[in-house]
Amino acid sequence: MARMMITSGPTRQYLDPVRYLTNGSSGRMGRSLAQAALDLGHQVVIISGPVEINYPSRAEVVPVVSTEDLLDACQRVFPGCDGLIAAAAPCDYRPIRVASHKIAKTGNPLELQLIETPDVVATLGSTKRPDQWIVGFALETEDQRLRALVKLEKKSCDLMVLNGPAAMNSRRNQVEIIDRKGSLIDALAGPKEEVARGILQVIQKRLVAPFQSCFPSSAELAAVASRQN
Ligand code: C5P
């Protein structure tokens, strides 16, 4: 059994108290991955941006709003986990200035200056322990495998799940899973629940089983600690 952290849904970057930048993400892929992980007997902590869907009741859910909140929550939770599945679509830019009052219309164009938000997976990847694994998601429209492989390397992921823009806000998904060498491990298509079960099978075989034969899992360490207390 492993303890898995799953990031899910979009994040929001506010311009003023009512308007925000975001990404089109429903959280359905994160929910399906959480359910598939729970069905295999794993513990699941979901760090989720604002979504309309409900997550499985057996998962622990940490709600967040912005990409900075997502990073803070992940940095708090990840040390107690064996692996991360990063299915969130964090907003990559934030306005340099956030207005404290609703920005009034003037009839003129409104110029926004944006800067990049932190990359959550890259930050966690750069400090992860040897006994922890990370599975990233890449949504690409061109040169999909090459770009996904570059992201896998840059963000220190162990596997990358590659999907197209049709996945956004949809009930179905079509994915390819690539490893650190760029080899295609699996290609899956169907309802997100079915695709998530396939992804979890790959994670189980390639990451959970090999890592647990070398290191005790976070879930096992927590169980030993609670028996000693
Ligand atoms: O947006 P991008 O294509 O770079 O996303 C690839 C992976 O990085 C995804 O797993 C996504 O959850 C993660 N990501 C992140 N923080 C960001 C942007 C993306 O964790 N600011």
Side-chain angles (χ1 to χ4, degrees):
M1 195 232 297
R3 184 167 173 83
M4 299 186 187
M5 181 169 89
I6 300 179
T7 67
S8 181
T11 58
R12 289 179 186 175
Q13 303 297 151
Y14 276 86
L15 325 179
D16 70 16
V18 293
R19 304 184 181 97
Y20 52 83
L21 302 172
T22 193
N23 268 342
S25 166
S26 62
R28 281 198 199 99
M29 198 63 221
R31 175 177 67 183
S32 304
L33 290 161
Q35 189 60 60
L38 289 165
D39 291 345
L40 289 175
H42 300 301
Q43 293 177 359
V44 174
V45 187
I46 302 171
I47 320 285
S48 178
V51 289
E52 304 277 315
I53 56 151
N54 292 315
Y55 288 112
S57 56
R58 277 187 297 142
E60 196 182 320
V61 181
V62 180
V64 295
V65 176
S66 67
T67 302
E68 290 85 352
D69 297 342
L70 178 67
L71 178 60
D72 281 354
C74 286
Q75 286 182 317
R76 224 175 35 246
V77 171
F78 195 47
C81 294
D82 301 295
L84 159 67
I85 309 177
C91 191
D92 291 321
Y93 289 95
R94 68 172 171 84
I96 288 181
R97 263 184 299 280
V98 182
S100 52
H101 301 289
K102 185 178 171 189
I103 300 168
K105 286 181 12 183
T106 61
N108 294 317
L110 173 67
E111 276 190 24
L112 289 176
Q113 271 201 308
L114 305 177
I115 52 169
E116 285 185 16
T117 55
D119 191 302
V120 178
V121 170
T123 309
L124 297 176
S126 67
T127 54
K128 78 176 160 118
R129 300 188 307 258
D131 61 317
Q132 290 178 308
W133 47 264
I134 297 183
V135 177
F137 273 67
L139 195 154
E140 306 293 343
T141 51
E142 308 145 89
D143 299 330
Q144 297 185 323
R145 278 198 206 159
L146 182 65
R147 283 169 188 255
L149 188 57
V150 171
K151 278 186 188 170
L152 181 152
E153 187 61 46
K154 235 166 104 179
K155 302 187 188 214
S156 314
C157 295
D158 296 278
L159 294 173
M160 189 58 93
V161 180
L162 176 55
N163 45 202
M168 278 191 333
N169 269 317
S170 163
R171 288 178 193 280
R172 299 178 65 81
N173 205 353
Q174 185 165 0
V175 306
E176 289 183 354
I177 306 176
I178 58 169
D179 69 6
R180 292 190 59 80
K181 292 191 210 120
S183 308
L184 178 65
I185 303 300
D186 210 347
L188 304 157
K192 285 185 174 170
E193 293 79 1
E194 199 180 307
V195 171
R197 281 194 289 274
I199 294 171
L200 255 297
Q201 268 168 24
V202 173
I203 292 175
Q204 185 73 28
K205 195 166 139 211
R206 294 209 147 225
L207 300 173
V208 177
F211 276 62
Q212 287 195 348
S213 64
C214 303
F215 306 101
S217 74
S218 293
E220 282 162 354
L221 289 174
V224 170
S226 75
R227 278 201 297 274
Q228 283 172 347
N229 288 334

